[in-house]
Amino acid sequence: MQTDLRAVLFDVFGTVVDWRSGIAAAAAPFLARYGATGADPFAFADRWRGHYGPSMEEVRSGRRPFVRLDVLHRETLLSVLPTFGIDPVAVPEVELDDLTFAWHRLDPWADAVEGLTRLKRRFVIAPLSNGNIALLLNMAKRAGLPWDAILGAEAVRAYKPTKQAYLRTAELLALAPGQICMVAAHNSDLAAARACGLRTAFVPRPTEHGADQTTDLRPEQDWDVVANDLLLLADVLAP
Amino acid sequence: MQTDLRAVLFDVFGTVVDWRSGIAAAAAPFLARYGATGADPFAFADRWRGHYGPSMEEVRSGRRPFVRLDVLHRETLLSVLPTFGIDPVAVPEVELDDLTFAWHRLDPWADAVEGLTRLKRRFVIAPLSNGNIALLLNMAKRAGLPWDAILGAEAVRAYKPTKQAYLRTAELLALAPGQICMVAAHNSDLAAARACGLRTAFVPRPTEHGADQTTDLRPEQDWDVVANDLLLLADVLAP
């Protein structure tokens, strides 16, 4: 597996950072301030994240030109607020922006910074995320994620899991797909990467969706590597 | 100047790394191996670099679709070799590739790594270079350049000094041009950046072209900052 492996690319939301806790923590005071005092901020995070796939599908399908994820997050926030009894028009723009940018301020899982740091010694490491460049940069600066480069959907103007997202990223790195390993907590991301010829590493995050998570608890294919966190992944790839 | 400054972007060839010494050092054994024993490797470096502007102009003018700098370097190498009495056909492809990739292995000026490290604490730092992403990544990994992101011509598919190179980079960073400072040893790069609304910092590199250099010894406009090296630039921008 290590033979000629040059770059290790990472899904970010769920794989490197804990988006659900971060969004819930940012939403809690916001919900209280706008009268949704009984609302569960984790339910709010889940609902907002629920719009993620459908909003990107508009772009993937070609029905909409590429727009960065910040734009989609801002739009879907407006859709979610009424579900929690909040009229978006009553919220100042600056507050809507600030909550949107909570996606820039997510905390990494406890193993992430050290695992990435160890992998960086041997490989090019970069996000291959649907997050936009400013989002990933701000997140990295705040959390200390030591990326070598910021790649992903915006750099190639294509959202995962389209083939273009993986293949154009390989092209930017001037690497063959087989010289790249995709790391994700999501079987579907790895299946798409494998279909493009990338190597695959599954790192389960069994509480990404909370204690009752039912999806992505186990590998669904014989991924090249399965490791329970990024430290163990570094043990395998960069011993 | 520091007010709301968020990102400091760098020209690379000449400003951060010493391309002339690096290319001459890589060329010297190559020239000897192919019989050009009397050739001055610095003259070879200068001649090769002389093709840099014209080769990019084909792309800037629209006569040629965007291709990465590695491709241009490989092509112009073939043009330069006969000038030194070497028939490109007599050189194995792998050797031509290796010499082309000498542009990935350039050493930084002595102040660069520490200066960038200090600036990184306060700002997003990234190359805004005509070098391609793999070139800049390989260079950074080898030299320890601590970029937050790898930006530049390939990321925006436009070579400096076209306006698109600067403005699309600002767009990728989700910043206004005035929140970005362009750092370069070349007045022409800064003039183009200023015309797009970026802040400007001139860092002269009076031996980039050797001891007899006559160009870019002094600032030709009232740039926002003039600093003699990247440590002094950090003193001004991130005291």
Side-chain angles (χ1 to χ4, degrees), chain A residues 6 68 120-121 123-125 133-134 137-138 141 147-151 154-155 171-174, chain B residues 6 68 120-121 123-125 133-134 137-138 141 147-151 154-155 171-174:
Chain A
R6 297 282 309 280
R68 63 172 62 126
K120 182 175 182 167
R121 288 184 205 131
F123 305 107
V124 167
I125 61 164
I133 290 174
L137 254 176
N138 290 338
K141 295 288 269 186
W147 305 124
D148 286 308
I150 304 289
L151 300 173
E154 191 180 17
E171 170 71 11
L172 284 184
L173 290 168
Chain B
R6 298 282 307 282
R68 62 172 64 126
K120 181 175 182 168
R121 287 183 205 132
F123 306 106
V124 167
I125 61 164
I133 290 173
L137 254 176
N138 290 337
K141 294 289 270 188
W147 304 123
D148 286 308
I150 303 290
L151 300 173
E154 191 180 15
E171 170 70 13
L172 284 184
L173 291 168

Side-chain angles (χ1 to χ4, degrees), chain B residues 90-112:
Chain B
V91 183
E93 296 281 323
V94 64
E95 287 232 36
L96 295 171
D97 288 342
D98 184 66
L99 191 54
T100 299
F101 292 144
W103 292 92
H104 296 214
R105 299 187 297 264
L106 302 173
D107 288 328
W109 298 108
D111 51 278

Side-chain angles (χ1 to χ4, degrees), chain B residues 168-181:
Chain B
R168 287 186 197 158
T169 298
E171 170 70 13
L172 284 184
L173 291 168
L175 295 177
Q179 294 178 295
I180 299 171
C181 181

Side-chain angles (χ1 to χ4, degrees), chain B residues 12 14-19 21 107-113 205 207-208:
Chain B
V12 170
T15 302
V16 176
V17 301
D18 177 5
W19 60 267
S21 301
D107 288 328
W109 298 108
D111 51 278
V113 172
R205 297 298 193 183
T207 61
E208 174 186 356

